[in-house]
C-alpha cells in the first residue's frame, strides 16, 4: 500500500511502476528456483556467528499479513514488525496475531508521512497516536521506531527520546519496495552480518517467497534471526525479548515507598525508574490496596517544574505542572484487599524519582 522507501542519502526513485514490479517478480521467482541452493542439512539452529534483525514495515494489512506470519512461523523465525499506527487501529486482530506469532512490534508513525517536513507537534502526534493504539491492542507500547523513508532529523530524534523510542534504520535494504525480485531480496539478505538489520515490507508476495531462502542462507552461515535491542539498536538473541531490556545507560532502579497508609484501608504507591535516556525516562508505579478493597485510587507526586509526562498507560492523568496526579482510568475498576496494579509513564526531564503518595478519595 505505502512504500517505505529510500535509504539514507541516495536519490533513487521511491516507487517502481506496478507493471515493472510484477515482471521483475516473475523473473525473480524463476531465477531463484534455478540458482539458489538450499543447505543439505536441517540441523538445529547454530547461532555461533550471531544474530540479525528481520524487519517488515507498513503492516498490518488484511491482504498479506496472515500469509507473512504463517511463513515466518513455518520457518521458525521471529521478526520485528514496524506497524503503521492507523493500520494497527484498523486491524487489531492482525496486531494480536503478530504478537501471538512471536513477533516484536515497532512504531512506524500513524500515517507514514515525510516526518522531516512536519512540525514538532505534528511529529509528536504521529508517534504518540501509534504508541497509544499499539499499547491498547497489545498491552505494551513499542520501544522501537522506524521513521518512514528512513528520513530523520534532530526534531524527530528529540521526540523519539521523549517517548522512549529507539530509532532503527537499517543496514541492508532489500529493495522489495522498489520491485526487487525474490532472488534479489534473498541476495540482499545474504549480505547481513552479525547485529545487522534488513528492511523488508509486509505487503509483497516477493518478500514472503524469499523467506525460506533467507532463513536457509542465514543458517548456512550460523546466523539466526533475533530481536532488535532497544538499548543498542542492534540485533541480539531473541530471548532478550522476554524481559524489557534497559535503554543504556540504565540507572540502578530505585524504589521509594510512600508513607504507610493511615488506618487499615487506604493504599500505597511505589515508583520505580526502569529506563532512562538523554532527556527522558520511564517509570512504573505500583498501587497496592490496604486490608480493604478500594474502588478508586489516586497517586500524587511533585517533581521539578518543566518536567512532564509524555505518555501514560494504565492510569488517567489529572493535574499538571510540578504536581502530578494519576488515578485509575475507570472508577469502577476496583482493587481487592491487598491486590496491586501497575501503571507506567514516560516523561521528559531527568530521572529524579519522586516520592508518590496514594489516596482512595
Ligand atoms: Zn514504511
Amino acid at each position: 500500500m505505502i512504500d517505505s522507501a529510500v535509504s539514507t542519502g541516495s536519490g533513487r526513485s521511491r516507487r517502481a511502476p506496478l507493471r515493472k514490479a510484477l515482471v521483475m517478480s516473475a523473473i525473480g521467482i524463476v531465477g531463484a528456483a534455478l540458482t539458489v541452493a538450499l543447505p543439505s542439512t536441517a540441523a538445529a539452529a547454530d547461532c555461533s556467528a550471531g544474530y540479525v534483525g528481520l524487519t517488515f514495515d507498513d503492516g498490518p494489512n488484511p491482504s498479506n499479513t496472515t500469509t507473512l506470519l504463517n511463513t515466518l512461523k513455518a520457518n521458525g523465525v521471529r521478526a520485528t514488525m514496524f506497524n503503521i499506527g492507523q493500520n494497527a487501529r484498523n486491524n487489531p486482530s492482525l496486531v494480536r496475531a503478530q504478537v501471538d506469532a512471536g513477533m516484536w512490534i515497532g512504531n512506524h508513525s500513524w500515517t507514514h508521512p515525510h516526518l522531516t517536513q512536519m512540525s514538532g507537534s505534528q511529529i509528536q502526534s504521529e508517534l504518540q497516536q501509534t504508541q497509544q493504539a499499539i499499547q491498547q491492542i497489545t498491552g505494551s507500547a513499542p520501544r522501537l521506531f522506524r521513521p518512514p523513508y528512513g528520513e530523520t532529523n534532530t526534531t524527530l530524534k528529540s521526540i523519539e527520546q521523549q517517548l522512549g523510542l529507539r530509532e532503527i534504520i537499517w543496514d541492508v535494504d532489500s529493495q522489495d519496495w522498489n520491485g526487487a525480485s525474490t532472488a534479489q531480496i534473498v541476495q540482499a539478505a545474504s549480505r547481513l552480518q552479525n547485529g545487522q538489520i534488513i528492511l523488508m515490507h509486509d505487503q509483497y508476495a516477493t518478500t514472503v517467497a524469499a523467506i525460506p531462502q533467507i532463513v536457509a542462507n542465514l543458517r548456512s552461515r550460523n546466523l539466526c534471526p533475533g530481536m532488535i535491542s532497544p538499548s543498542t539498536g542492534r540485533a541480539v538473541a531473541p530471548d532478550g525479548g522476554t524481559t524489557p531490556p534497559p535503554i543504556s545507560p540504565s540507572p540502578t532502579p530505585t524504589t521509594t515507598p510512600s508513607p504507610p497508609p493511615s488506618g487499615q484501608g487506604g493504599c500505597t504507591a511505589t515508583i520505580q525508574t526502569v529506563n532512562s535516556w538523554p532527556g527522558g525516562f520511564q517509570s512504573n508505579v505500583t498501587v497496592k490496596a490496604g486490608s480493604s478493597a478500594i474502588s478508586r485510587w489516586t497517586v500524587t507526586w511533585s517533581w521539578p517544574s518543566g518536567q512532564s509526562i509524555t505518555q501514560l498507560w494504565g492510569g488517567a492523568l489529572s493535574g499538571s505542572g510540578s504536581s502530578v496526579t494519576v488515578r485509575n482510568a475507570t472508577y469502577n475498576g476496583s482493587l481487592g484487599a491487598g491486590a496491586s496494579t501497575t501503571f507506567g509513564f514516560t516523561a521528559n526531564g531527568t530521572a529524579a524519582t519522586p516520592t508518590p503518595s496514594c489516596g482512595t478519595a
Side-chain angles (χ1 to χ4, degrees):
M1 181 186 70
I2 302 174
D3 289 326
S4 176
V6 177
S7 68
T8 48
S10 90
R12 71 186 87 130
S13 74
R14 299 205 169 171
R15 189 176 188 102
L18 180 59
R19 181 162 301 175
K20 178 189 170 194
L22 293 172
V23 171
M24 294 289 285
S25 302
I27 294 168
I29 290 166
V30 173
L34 291 174
T35 60
V36 175
L38 295 173
S40 56
T41 61
D46 174 350
C47 308
S48 57
Y51 296 89
V52 300
L54 308 180
T55 67
F56 297 90
D57 290 11
D58 297 359
N61 78 82
S63 65
N64 202 49
T65 297
T66 301
T67 304
L68 172 64
L69 293 175
N70 288 340
T71 304
L72 290 168
K73 282 193 288 187
N75 286 273
V77 296
R78 302 169 69 185
T80 301
M81 307 301 192
F82 285 102
N83 286 341
I84 295 174
Q86 60 183 6
N87 287 2
R89 190 260 323 264
N90 293 338
N91 302 282
S93 64
L94 290 177
V95 179
R96 284 189 285 270
Q98 291 173 331
V99 174
D100 290 345
M103 306 302 148
W104 299 278
I105 309 297
N107 180 330
H108 194 41
S109 82
W110 186 253
T111 64
H112 207 277
H114 292 279
L115 290 171
T116 55
Q117 298 170 14
M118 299 179 91
S119 71
S121 61
Q122 289 173 314
I123 295 172
Q124 172 91 20
S125 172
E126 282 279 336
L127 272 58
Q128 191 143 12
Q129 276 194 86
T130 303
Q131 290 293 92
Q132 289 170 347
I134 293 174
Q135 162 85 33
Q136 284 171 5
I137 296 166
T138 69
S140 58
R143 301 286 307 283
L144 306 175
F145 174 73
R146 171 166 286 159
Y149 314 100
E151 296 170 350
T152 189
N153 61 17
T154 54
T155 304
L156 174 56
K157 286 175 185 289
S158 167
I159 292 166
E160 291 164 0
Q161 286 185 342
Q162 288 172 25
L163 294 172
L165 288 164
R166 163 72 66 164
E167 182 178 278
I168 305 295
I169 309 293
W170 53 81
D171 303 289
V172 174
D173 181 351
S174 72
Q175 294 278 323
D176 60 351
W177 57 273
N178 198 24
S181 68
T182 292
Q184 289 168 329
I185 296 167
V186 172
Q187 182 65 35
S190 74
R191 301 202 308 267
L192 284 166
Q193 302 297 322
N194 181 27
Q196 290 190 333
I197 293 162
I198 183 169
L199 169 70
M200 295 181 282
H201 290 81
D202 175 279
Q203 67 268 44
Y204 300 115
T206 44
T207 309
V208 171
I211 288 169
Q213 296 164 63
I214 290 172
V215 172
N217 171 271
L218 293 173
R219 285 196 177 136
S220 74
R221 297 191 290 136
N222 295 331
L223 287 165
C224 295
M227 67 172 283
I228 299 171
S229 166
S231 302
T232 64
R234 309 308 297 156
V236 297
D239 56 11
T242 54
T243 56
I247 294 173
S248 66
S250 179
T252 304
T254 52
T255 301
T256 308
S258 62
S262 57
Q264 296 226 304
C267 57
T268 55
T270 55
I271 189 165
Q272 184 173 47
T273 298
V274 292
N275 292 309
S276 69
W277 51 90
F281 62 96
Q282 178 182 346
S283 296
N284 293 332
V285 181
T286 300
V287 180
K288 185 176 184 186
S291 57
S292 305
I294 57 176
S295 61
R296 64 179 65 182
W297 49 261
T298 58
V299 176
T300 303
W301 67 83
S302 299
W303 57 18
S305 63
Q307 194 157 294
S308 61
I309 288 181
T310 51
Q311 187 184 354
L312 175 72
W313 53 96
L317 182 65
S318 60
S320 60
S322 60
S323 178
V324 180
T325 300
V326 177
R327 58 172 172 79
N328 39 335
T330 54
Y331 271 140
N332 60 5
S334 64
L335 211 52
S340 61
T341 187
T342 299
F343 68 88
F345 64 86
T346 55
N348 59 21
T350 59
T353 302
T355 302
S357 60
C358 190
T360 56

